[in-house]
Amino acid sequence: MSRFRNEVARLQAHVKTLRLGGAALFVVALLLGFGWWSAPKSLTIHVPPDLRSGSTRKWWDVPPESVYAFTFYIWQQAQRWPTNGEDDYPRNLKALSAYFTPSCRAFLQQDYEVRRNNGELRQRVRGIYEIPGRGYGDDPTARVHTVSSSHWTVTLDVSADEYLGSEQVKRALVRYALKVVRMDIDPEHNPFGLALDCYASAPQRIEPAPASDTKPAANLQGGTP
């Protein structure tokens, strides 16, 4: 009888071991399922536009050319008033709000109110474009300064044109030094994972280069555009 009792005890111990193993596997499956569920569904990888020689990048690295392209695109859209600056400017700020830091949004909102109170927006049409010969490819190191892996200073040299009706009332060559930060908190509305933090320094007027000089002029004058 002892032999049968020992066999029963062994089988019961084996069943208990199997149950413990099954419970452990269940816990591991739950942990794996939670990790899979919490993993990001997509990753934004910035790839430089020129791939003739190939490129190897860490997925979190943002190349300077991508920072410059983002900055110019968002700033150009923010400064575009197609019909009436009094309506277009606040509409731009609302539409592009995900691409500005909270402090920058507040600063631009205040800028809108000052311009509106000074009569600089009513029926104004405005647009900016990059000055030929002063783009990123002409002098990359002067256009993007990397402060850290999450902070950059971008210099834009643009021409700002404003019209009142059919009459041009302003053409200013302006240098904008803009702060850009990493802000990957809302991929649904901001897939770039970057945000403008407004001015690193006050905008400056640029002296137009002489006709015979193909290099950017270094002489700057103060004042806001």
Side-chain angles (χ1 to χ4, degrees), residues 131 134 171-174 205-213 215-221:
I131 300 175
R134 294 174 181 253
R171 167 162 289 178
L173 303 182
V174 187
R205 298 287 184 123
I206 306 174
E207 280 293 315
S212 60
D213 187 4
K215 294 182 180 180
N219 184 26
L220 302 177
Q221 292 183 347

PDB file of all heavy atoms in Angstrom, residues 131 134 171-174 205-213 215-221:
ATOM      1  N   ILE A 131      15.344  84.376 -48.761  1.00  0.00           N
ATOM      2  CA  ILE A 131      16.168  85.173 -49.658  1.00  0.00           C
ATOM      3  C   ILE A 131      17.095  84.240 -50.427  1.00  0.00           C
ATOM      4  O   ILE A 131      17.804  83.434 -49.815  1.00  0.00           O
ATOM      5  CB  ILE A 131      16.989  86.210 -48.867  1.00  0.00           C
ATOM      6  CG1 ILE A 131      16.054  87.157 -48.105  1.00  0.00           C
ATOM      7  CG2 ILE A 131      17.904  86.992 -49.799  1.00  0.00           C
ATOM      8  CD1 ILE A 131      16.784  88.129 -47.194  1.00  0.00           C
ATOM      9  N   ARG A 134      20.643  82.555 -49.273  1.00  0.00           N
ATOM     10  CA  ARG A 134      20.745  82.598 -47.817  1.00  0.00           C
ATOM     11  C   ARG A 134      19.979  81.442 -47.171  1.00  0.00           C
ATOM     12  O   ARG A 134      19.463  81.570 -46.070  1.00  0.00           O
ATOM     13  CB  ARG A 134      20.206  83.932 -47.281  1.00  0.00           C
ATOM     14  CG  ARG A 134      21.033  85.140 -47.691  1.00  0.00           C
ATOM     15  CD  ARG A 134      20.338  86.421 -47.241  1.00  0.00           C
ATOM     16  NE  ARG A 134      21.089  87.608 -47.627  1.00  0.00           N
ATOM     17  CZ  ARG A 134      21.783  88.374 -46.793  1.00  0.00           C
ATOM     18  NH1 ARG A 134      21.838  88.062 -45.520  1.00  0.00           N
ATOM     19  NH2 ARG A 134      22.424  89.435 -47.225  1.00  0.00           N
ATOM     20  N   ARG A 171       8.375  96.080 -47.851  1.00  0.00           N
ATOM     21  CA  ARG A 171       9.265  94.977 -48.232  1.00  0.00           C
ATOM     22  C   ARG A 171      10.484  95.100 -47.346  1.00  0.00           C
ATOM     23  O   ARG A 171      11.259  96.052 -47.471  1.00  0.00           O
ATOM     24  CB  ARG A 171       9.659  95.017 -49.699  1.00  0.00           C
ATOM     25  CG  ARG A 171      10.825  94.061 -50.022  1.00  0.00           C
ATOM     26  CD  ARG A 171      10.957  93.761 -51.491  1.00  0.00           C
ATOM     27  NE  ARG A 171       9.869  92.907 -51.950  1.00  0.00           N
ATOM     28  CZ  ARG A 171       9.729  92.529 -53.217  1.00  0.00           C
ATOM     29  NH1 ARG A 171      10.569  92.954 -54.140  1.00  0.00           N
ATOM     30  NH2 ARG A 171       8.718  91.737 -53.557  1.00  0.00           N
ATOM     31  N   ALA A 172      10.665  94.172 -46.441  1.00  0.00           N
ATOM     32  CA  ALA A 172      11.761  94.223 -45.480  1.00  0.00           C
ATOM     33  C   ALA A 172      12.548  92.927 -45.535  1.00  0.00           C
ATOM     34  O   ALA A 172      11.970  91.839 -45.563  1.00  0.00           O
ATOM     35  CB  ALA A 172      11.217  94.436 -44.063  1.00  0.00           C
ATOM     36  N   LEU A 173      13.873  93.068 -45.587  1.00  0.00           N
ATOM     37  CA  LEU A 173      14.749  91.908 -45.466  1.00  0.00           C
ATOM     38  C   LEU A 173      15.044  91.720 -43.980  1.00  0.00           C
ATOM     39  O   LEU A 173      15.596  92.616 -43.334  1.00  0.00           O
ATOM     40  CB  LEU A 173      16.038  92.126 -46.249  1.00  0.00           C
ATOM     41  CG  LEU A 173      15.874  92.440 -47.734  1.00  0.00           C
ATOM     42  CD1 LEU A 173      17.232  92.595 -48.411  1.00  0.00           C
ATOM     43  CD2 LEU A 173      15.037  91.382 -48.441  1.00  0.00           C
ATOM     44  N   VAL A 174      14.663  90.580 -43.456  1.00  0.00           N
ATOM     45  CA  VAL A 174      14.672  90.374 -42.011  1.00  0.00           C
ATOM     46  C   VAL A 174      15.437  89.104 -41.663  1.00  0.00           C
ATOM     47  O   VAL A 174      15.345  88.092 -42.365  1.00  0.00           O
ATOM     48  CB  VAL A 174      13.234  90.265 -41.451  1.00  0.00           C
ATOM     49  CG1 VAL A 174      13.253  90.224 -39.932  1.00  0.00           C
ATOM     50  CG2 VAL A 174      12.370  91.396 -41.958  1.00  0.00           C
ATOM     51  N   ARG A 205      16.882  93.907 -39.193  1.00  0.00           N
ATOM     52  CA  ARG A 205      16.845  94.249 -40.610  1.00  0.00           C
ATOM     53  C   ARG A 205      18.185  93.898 -41.248  1.00  0.00           C
ATOM     54  O   ARG A 205      19.233  94.066 -40.633  1.00  0.00           O
ATOM     55  CB  ARG A 205      16.582  95.743 -40.788  1.00  0.00           C
ATOM     56  CG  ARG A 205      15.242  96.227 -40.231  1.00  0.00           C
ATOM     57  CD  ARG A 205      14.086  95.791 -41.091  1.00  0.00           C
ATOM     58  NE  ARG A 205      12.835  96.351 -40.567  1.00  0.00           N
ATOM     59  CZ  ARG A 205      12.021  97.112 -41.294  1.00  0.00           C
ATOM     60  NH1 ARG A 205      12.310  97.405 -42.535  1.00  0.00           N
ATOM     61  NH2 ARG A 205      10.898  97.564 -40.762  1.00  0.00           N
ATOM     62  N   ILE A 206      18.138  93.438 -42.492  1.00  0.00           N
ATOM     63  CA  ILE A 206      19.351  93.082 -43.218  1.00  0.00           C
ATOM     64  C   ILE A 206      19.558  94.084 -44.342  1.00  0.00           C
ATOM     65  O   ILE A 206      18.614  94.400 -45.082  1.00  0.00           O
ATOM     66  CB  ILE A 206      19.258  91.659 -43.798  1.00  0.00           C
ATOM     67  CG1 ILE A 206      18.925  90.654 -42.704  1.00  0.00           C
ATOM     68  CG2 ILE A 206      20.534  91.272 -44.517  1.00  0.00           C
ATOM     69  CD1 ILE A 206      18.676  89.259 -43.226  1.00  0.00           C
ATOM     70  N   GLU A 207      20.768  94.561 -44.458  1.00  0.00           N
ATOM     71  CA  GLU A 207      21.103  95.432 -45.576  1.00  0.00           C
ATOM     72  C   GLU A 207      21.162  94.598 -46.847  1.00  0.00           C
ATOM     73  O   GLU A 207      21.804  93.538 -46.863  1.00  0.00           O
ATOM     74  CB  GLU A 207      22.454  96.109 -45.347  1.00  0.00           C
ATOM     75  CG  GLU A 207      22.383  97.307 -44.420  1.00  0.00           C
ATOM     76  CD  GLU A 207      21.589  98.448 -45.040  1.00  0.00           C
ATOM     77  OE1 GLU A 207      21.796  98.756 -46.222  1.00  0.00           O
ATOM     78  OE2 GLU A 207      20.745  99.014 -44.339  1.00  0.00           O
ATOM     79  N   PRO A 208      20.503  94.990 -47.927  1.00  0.00           N
ATOM     80  CA  PRO A 208      20.596  94.218 -49.173  1.00  0.00           C
ATOM     81  C   PRO A 208      22.027  94.186 -49.677  1.00  0.00           C
ATOM     82  O   PRO A 208      22.757  95.173 -49.583  1.00  0.00           O
ATOM     83  CB  PRO A 208      19.671  94.976 -50.128  1.00  0.00           C
ATOM     84  CG  PRO A 208      19.547  96.343 -49.550  1.00  0.00           C
ATOM     85  CD  PRO A 208      19.665  96.194 -48.068  1.00  0.00           C
ATOM     86  N   ALA A 209      22.448  93.048 -50.204  1.00  0.00           N
ATOM     87  CA  ALA A 209      23.811  92.897 -50.707  1.00  0.00           C
ATOM     88  C   ALA A 209      23.963  93.676 -51.999  1.00  0.00           C
ATOM     89  O   ALA A 209      23.019  93.799 -52.799  1.00  0.00           O
ATOM     90  CB  ALA A 209      24.122  91.424 -50.939  1.00  0.00           C
ATOM     91  N   PRO A 210      25.137  94.227 -52.270  1.00  0.00           N
ATOM     92  CA  PRO A 210      25.385  94.886 -53.561  1.00  0.00           C
ATOM     93  C   PRO A 210      25.178  93.913 -54.705  1.00  0.00           C
ATOM     94  O   PRO A 210      25.337  92.703 -54.556  1.00  0.00           O
ATOM     95  CB  PRO A 210      26.858  95.324 -53.450  1.00  0.00           C
ATOM     96  CG  PRO A 210      27.139  95.375 -51.989  1.00  0.00           C
ATOM     97  CD  PRO A 210      26.287  94.317 -51.363  1.00  0.00           C
ATOM     98  N   ALA A 211      24.827  94.458 -55.851  1.00  0.00           N
ATOM     99  CA  ALA A 211      24.504  93.609 -57.007  1.00  0.00           C
ATOM    100  C   ALA A 211      25.670  92.728 -57.412  1.00  0.00           C
ATOM    101  O   ALA A 211      25.497  91.621 -57.901  1.00  0.00           O
ATOM    102  CB  ALA A 211      24.075  94.473 -58.192  1.00  0.00           C
ATOM    103  N   SER A 212      26.913  93.193 -57.206  1.00  0.00           N
ATOM    104  CA  SER A 212      28.096  92.433 -57.617  1.00  0.00           C
ATOM    105  C   SER A 212      28.531  91.427 -56.569  1.00  0.00           C
ATOM    106  O   SER A 212      29.434  90.633 -56.808  1.00  0.00           O
ATOM    107  CB  SER A 212      29.263  93.384 -57.906  1.00  0.00           C
ATOM    108  OG  SER A 212      29.575  94.139 -56.737  1.00  0.00           O
ATOM    109  N   ASP A 213      27.912  91.465 -55.391  1.00  0.00           N
ATOM    110  CA  ASP A 213      28.318  90.590 -54.284  1.00  0.00           C
ATOM    111  C   ASP A 213      27.325  89.468 -54.145  1.00  0.00           C
ATOM    112  O   ASP A 213      26.147  89.696 -53.900  1.00  0.00           O
ATOM    113  CB  ASP A 213      28.391  91.396 -52.977  1.00  0.00           C
ATOM    114  CG  ASP A 213      28.977  90.580 -51.842  1.00  0.00           C
ATOM    115  OD1 ASP A 213      29.385  89.441 -52.110  1.00  0.00           O
ATOM    116  OD2 ASP A 213      29.029  91.106 -50.717  1.00  0.00           O
ATOM    117  N   LYS A 215      27.671  87.014 -51.900  1.00  0.00           N
ATOM    118  CA  LYS A 215      27.662  86.496 -50.542  1.00  0.00           C
ATOM    119  C   LYS A 215      26.688  87.280 -49.686  1.00  0.00           C
ATOM    120  O   LYS A 215      26.443  88.460 -49.942  1.00  0.00           O
ATOM    121  CB  LYS A 215      29.074  86.596 -49.935  1.00  0.00           C
ATOM    122  CG  LYS A 215      30.093  85.690 -50.637  1.00  0.00           C
ATOM    123  CD  LYS A 215      31.445  85.806 -49.954  1.00  0.00           C
ATOM    124  CE  LYS A 215      32.474  84.910 -50.638  1.00  0.00           C
ATOM    125  NZ  LYS A 215      33.794  85.014 -49.971  1.00  0.00           N
ATOM    126  N   PRO A 216      26.105  86.676 -48.634  1.00  0.00           N
ATOM    127  CA  PRO A 216      25.191  87.377 -47.746  1.00  0.00           C
ATOM    128  C   PRO A 216      25.896  88.552 -47.084  1.00  0.00           C
ATOM    129  O   PRO A 216      27.049  88.472 -46.670  1.00  0.00           O
ATOM    130  CB  PRO A 216      24.776  86.309 -46.718  1.00  0.00           C
ATOM    131  CG  PRO A 216      25.067  85.017 -47.382  1.00  0.00           C
ATOM    132  CD  PRO A 216      26.231  85.253 -48.277  1.00  0.00           C
ATOM    133  N   ALA A 217      25.189  89.671 -46.986  1.00  0.00           N
ATOM    134  CA  ALA A 217      25.773  90.836 -46.335  1.00  0.00           C
ATOM    135  C   ALA A 217      25.842  90.617 -44.840  1.00  0.00           C
ATOM    136  O   ALA A 217      24.925  90.087 -44.230  1.00  0.00           O
ATOM    137  CB  ALA A 217      24.937  92.082 -46.635  1.00  0.00           C
ATOM    138  N   ALA A 218      26.934  91.044 -44.218  1.00  0.00           N
ATOM    139  CA  ALA A 218      27.118  90.836 -42.790  1.00  0.00           C
ATOM    140  C   ALA A 218      26.622  92.034 -41.988  1.00  0.00           C
ATOM    141  O   ALA A 218      26.454  91.948 -40.789  1.00  0.00           O
ATOM    142  CB  ALA A 218      28.594  90.598 -42.477  1.00  0.00           C
ATOM    143  N   ASN A 219      26.375  93.158 -42.642  1.00  0.00           N
ATOM    144  CA  ASN A 219      25.964  94.372 -41.952  1.00  0.00           C
ATOM    145  C   ASN A 219      24.479  94.302 -41.614  1.00  0.00           C
ATOM    146  O   ASN A 219      23.658  94.139 -42.493  1.00  0.00           O
ATOM    147  CB  ASN A 219      26.258  95.588 -42.829  1.00  0.00           C
ATOM    148  CG  ASN A 219      25.933  96.891 -42.107  1.00  0.00           C
ATOM    149  OD1 ASN A 219      25.954  96.934 -40.879  1.00  0.00           O
ATOM    150  ND2 ASN A 219      25.635  97.923 -42.868  1.00  0.00           N
ATOM    151  N   LEU A 220      24.148  94.409 -40.352  1.00  0.00           N
ATOM    152  CA  LEU A 220      22.765  94.338 -39.902  1.00  0.00           C
ATOM    153  C   LEU A 220      22.376  95.627 -39.222  1.00  0.00           C
ATOM    154  O   LEU A 220      23.206  96.296 -38.619  1.00  0.00           O
ATOM    155  CB  LEU A 220      22.578  93.160 -38.919  1.00  0.00           C
ATOM    156  CG  LEU A 220      22.937  91.785 -39.454  1.00  0.00           C
ATOM    157  CD1 LEU A 220      22.759  90.761 -38.345  1.00  0.00           C
ATOM    158  CD2 LEU A 220      22.073  91.424 -40.638  1.00  0.00           C
ATOM    159  N   GLN A 221      21.121  95.958 -39.301  1.00  0.00           N
ATOM    160  CA  GLN A 221      20.584  97.126 -38.615  1.00  0.00           C
ATOM    161  C   GLN A 221      19.504  96.655 -37.663  1.00  0.00           C
ATOM    162  O   GLN A 221      18.794  95.702 -37.939  1.00  0.00           O
ATOM    163  CB  GLN A 221      20.007  98.135 -39.613  1.00  0.00           C
ATOM    164  CG  GLN A 221      21.075  98.787 -40.489  1.00  0.00           C
ATOM    165  CD  GLN A 221      20.468  99.825 -41.408  1.00  0.00           C
ATOM    166  OE1 GLN A 221      19.256  99.880 -41.563  1.00  0.00           O
ATOM    167  NE2 GLN A 221      21.308 100.655 -41.993  1.00  0.00           N
TER     168      GLN A 221
END
